[in-house]
Each structure stands twice: as structure tokens, then as C-alpha cells.
Amino acid sequence: QKMHAVGRESDEEVPPAMCDMDAACPSSKFDSANGIFPECIVWTWIAGCTQCTAGLVGHMGITNSKGEVWELIGVGAEQNHGRLAFGPIVRYIPLSPKLIGRGTCDEGIQRAIEKYRQQSCSPTNNCHCFVAACLSEMRYLYFPFWGCIWPLLAVMMWICGLFPCRWQSPACLISTAVATSAVVAIIVLLR
């Protein structure tokens, strides 16, 4: 079976990469080695919290068409490159431009950044709320009320999130499984 590089004109045979997650991504701009995931919801673990919650708790951001990460840390949205404030991008969900109901991904993020300019991070106004605001502004999935269901973004990432081919992803997965098993074992033993 021949493997052809995406976008190539020739019939030159190209061997498949050992772990080519980028080939399945909707954008040729993806660069998992450098943490570039354009138009994605991105997530990283928070050491200790993620492991003790079966991988549900973590830090979330969103990327524009250039792969620049926007996240809520402190007051207002902040920009990062190739990573989130708590660490490297460990999971991501690509956003389909076909499912944006208003403007573009970049325009939706920009509108949410303006709304969050003076807002600070708190348990009820956190990184998940900021990502939900971005999704609402772009009417992702033609749904304008992401702010009402922001806690579901964590579940969505847990179920649908893709792992880039980086050493941090298996480390996160394994440590989360071990820590979760330990917590469950302690609970069972204490009964």
C-alpha cells in the first residue's frame, strides 16, 4: 500500500510516520513538536489535581488560526505560545471552521478577549468560562449559550480530546491512571 503526503502533486512514495497525529488534523499548520495547534481548544494538566480527579480537572485555553494560545490567568485573557500557563499542551480538540456560525475563530476569540479584559479568574469565572465565551462569540456548533454549559467543556475534553505525540501526553495519562487507582484503592480500603 502506498502512502502519499497530503497535498503533494507527485506519486512519490512517502513512508508513514511512526506517530503522525498531525496528518489527521484539519490544518497543515499543526506542529505538535512545538505546541502549535491552530483553531483548537487546548488543555494541560495541573499536577496533583488532574491525577486525583481521574483526569477531569485541568487548565484550558483556545488557539487562533496562527496557533497562538489564549487563556484566562489572573485578570484578562493572556497570550502564550506553544503552551499553557501550567504546562505544555497535553490534549486538544480541533474546531471545524464549517461549524462556526458567526465570523471566524479569530473574530470570536477577539470579541471574548474584549469582554474579559477586566475580568479576573475565580471558581465561577475560570479558564473554562473564557473558552466557553469564545465558543459563544463564534456561535460554535451554531450554539450561542456555551457560557451556560461551561463545566461540560471538561467532560468534552476528557472524552473527545486528542493526545499529541509528545512525551508529556503518556506521562499525564499514566500518572493520572496510577493516582486515580490509588485514590480508589484508599477509598475501598477505608470502607
Side-chain angles (χ1 to χ4, degrees):
Q1 179 181 11
K2 280 187 173 181
M3 295 293 292
H4 298 285
V6 176
R8 287 221 168 164
E9 296 294 323
S10 71
D11 285 339
E12 176 185 340
E13 194 168 322
V14 178
M18 191 162 144
C19 185
D20 194 9
M21 183 66 79
D22 296 340
C25 298
S27 172
S28 61
K29 297 178 185 177
F30 274 64
D31 180 2
S32 62
N34 292 312
I36 307 299
F37 301 92
E39 296 183 346
C40 288
I41 300 171
V42 293
W43 182 90
T44 193
W45 64 345
I46 300 174
C49 294
T50 300
Q51 289 86 346
C52 293
T53 60
L56 208 53
V57 173
H59 180 64
M60 187 175 283
I62 193 165
T63 60
N64 62 18
S65 62
K66 296 177 185 173
E68 298 165 332
V69 177
W70 286 94
E71 59 188 323
L72 182 64
I73 295 287
V75 177
E78 293 185 18
Q79 185 180 11
N80 221 321
H81 296 281
R83 60 180 288 116
L84 291 151
F86 289 97
I89 295 168
V90 178
R91 296 187 86 172
Y92 66 98
I93 298 174
L95 299 173
S96 172
K98 295 176 184 173
L99 298 176
I100 294 174
R102 181 170 82 178
T104 66
C105 181
D106 290 357
E107 292 168 352
I109 293 171
Q110 215 37 59
R111 284 191 296 272
I113 289 168
E114 288 301 317
K115 287 184 175 184
Y116 270 77
R117 189 164 304 284
Q118 298 300 320
Q119 293 188 37
S120 60
C121 192
S122 70
T124 58
N125 188 38
N126 55 43
C127 58
H128 298 241
C129 297
F130 172 70
V131 171
C134 294
L135 295 174
S136 289
E137 288 297 328
M138 65 181 82
R139 302 297 191 260
Y140 194 69
L141 295 175
Y142 301 92
F143 184 69
F145 305 110
W146 286 93
C148 298
I149 59 169
W150 65 264
L152 293 179
L153 289 175
V155 176
M156 191 169 98
M157 183 61 75
W158 195 76
I159 293 169
C160 304
L162 302 172
F163 289 95
C165 297
R166 299 164 74 183
W167 69 267
Q168 295 98 336
S169 296
C172 176
L173 188 62
I174 292 167
S175 66
T176 299
V178 168
T180 302
S181 299
V183 169
V184 169
I186 289 170
I187 290 170
V188 169
L189 290 173
L190 292 176
R191 283 186 151 192

